[in-house]
Amino acid sequence: MNPMPVAPTSSTPERVSKLLAAKGLCSRREAAAFIKRGWVLLDGRPVTETGAKAFPGQDIRLAKPAEREQEHTVTIILNKPPGFSVGAPEAGYPDANTLIRPPNQMRLPGEPGLTGAHIRGLAPAGRLDLSTRGLMVYTQDGRVARRLLGHGPEAETKPIEKESLIRVEGGLSRGAFNRLRAGVAMDGRLVKPMVLEWVNADQIRLVINETGHRQVWRLFEAVRAHVTGVKRVRIGGVKLGGLPSGKWRFLRHGEHF
């Protein structure tokens, strides 16, 4: 017996795919695919059209087959070297996804090797510019992608920390250091580091929970510091660790962003 429809709380219906993504249940792309297969339920009944709309207050959820399929998606951690593009193609530079090949995999005993099924639907969750190296994430899981891109219900309440090591030529003046600590106006908002500390004479550890293209480089450019290298070493609870440059591995059981 199907449950009674929930009374709408809004007079404006929205696409079911958008509402699913807003709930953090999947990406819009995944939602469209699940709807085509009858794996999205609206008030207990399968949604049959990809353009279907619903009110935000209605009961929208994934059917069990969709949840089982999500359990088999993979997320990959890559140590991107400088000179490789991510997402948007850069003329004359190789795409970092070309490194996700069997010879470059670092795996523990018992871990699976790369298959064609792992490559299908694999997409970068964010970006790293050409000059930046370090931790880059590729995933088939729309929930992971939305979380790392700062979308969904946890974006404001639980933003993800990103930790980088920055090399600064000629050091950094006390005034510039204090300006960074106090926060720098960028794109109409104040970007304030969560952690800013010296690692050694020419390297700084920076932790922020902001997203944006070349965000780290632009922060230091704002205080006229000459950055010679940026290496991202952590996203949330996932660390780059000893993964060599140009190598990749699967996100492992127990690791969470």
Side-chain angles (χ1 to χ4, degrees):
M1 182 176 178
N2 291 322
M4 294 294 291
V6 176
T9 58
S10 169
S11 60
T12 305
E14 299 182 57
R15 282 181 176 266
V16 170
S17 57
K18 180 180 178 181
L19 293 172
L20 280 169
K23 290 174 178 288
L25 296 176
C26 63
S27 68
R28 291 196 193 187
R29 182 182 63 180
E30 285 176 320
F34 291 156
I35 288 172
K36 289 179 180 178
R37 299 162 82 173
W39 291 355
V40 174
L41 304 178
L42 174 60
D43 292 333
R45 299 180 180 180
V47 178
T48 58
E49 298 179 4
T50 55
K53 293 186 177 182
F55 293 96
Q58 290 183 264
D59 181 24
I60 304 170
R61 63 185 64 195
L62 298 179
K64 292 297 182 183
E67 294 178 346
R68 286 195 293 268
E69 183 160 300
Q70 285 182 324
E71 290 174 0
H72 291 91
T73 58
V74 300
T75 296
I76 282 173
I77 306 302
L78 170 71
N79 186 348
K80 186 190 89 68
F84 282 79
S85 65
V86 174
E90 298 272 1
Y93 295 94
D95 195 307
N97 64 13
T98 60
L99 295 169
I100 303 175
R101 297 294 181 266
N104 294 331
Q105 182 181 2
M106 299 294 292
R107 58 174 168 159
L108 298 175
E111 286 187 330
L114 188 71
T115 67
H118 296 143
I119 296 296
R120 286 193 292 273
L122 194 68
R127 295 182 64 182
L128 277 184
D129 60 84
L130 281 172
S131 302
T132 302
R133 59 196 176 103
L135 199 161
M136 182 64 215
V137 179
Y138 289 80
T139 187
Q140 294 175 326
D141 193 331
R143 297 167 300 177
V144 173
R146 288 182 61 77
R147 179 85 173 98
L148 296 185
L149 292 171
H151 304 317
E154 294 184 323
E156 293 186 8
T157 57
K158 295 181 180 179
I160 293 183
E161 295 181 2
K162 298 177 178 67
E163 179 178 346
S164 299
L165 298 177
I166 298 97
R167 290 198 172 276
V168 182
E169 184 178 89
L172 191 66
S173 70
R174 183 182 296 273
F177 187 87
N178 289 337
R179 278 188 61 200
L180 282 171
R181 244 188 189 163
V184 174
M186 189 177 295
D187 300 327
R189 67 183 189 280
L190 188 69
V191 178
K192 188 174 181 179
M194 301 176 67
V195 176
L196 185 72
E197 61 184 17
W198 288 102
V199 177
N200 52 44
D202 62 352
Q203 193 173 43
I204 292 174
R205 174 176 172 254
L206 170 73
V207 179
I208 57 175
N209 58 12
E210 301 274 348
T211 60
H213 183 49
R214 297 190 77 251
Q215 187 81 290
V216 173
W217 294 84
R218 292 169 61 207
L219 273 174
F220 282 79
E221 287 169 359
V223 297
R224 302 184 183 280
H226 184 204
V227 173
T228 59
V230 175
K231 180 180 181 180
R232 188 160 67 191
V233 296
R234 178 174 65 86
I235 300 178
V238 178
K239 297 180 180 180
L240 185 64
L243 187 66
S245 180
K247 302 294 185 180
W248 67 270
R249 65 172 177 84
F250 289 118
L251 187 71
R252 292 169 179 148
H253 180 71
E255 288 187 309
H256 302 285
F257 294 104

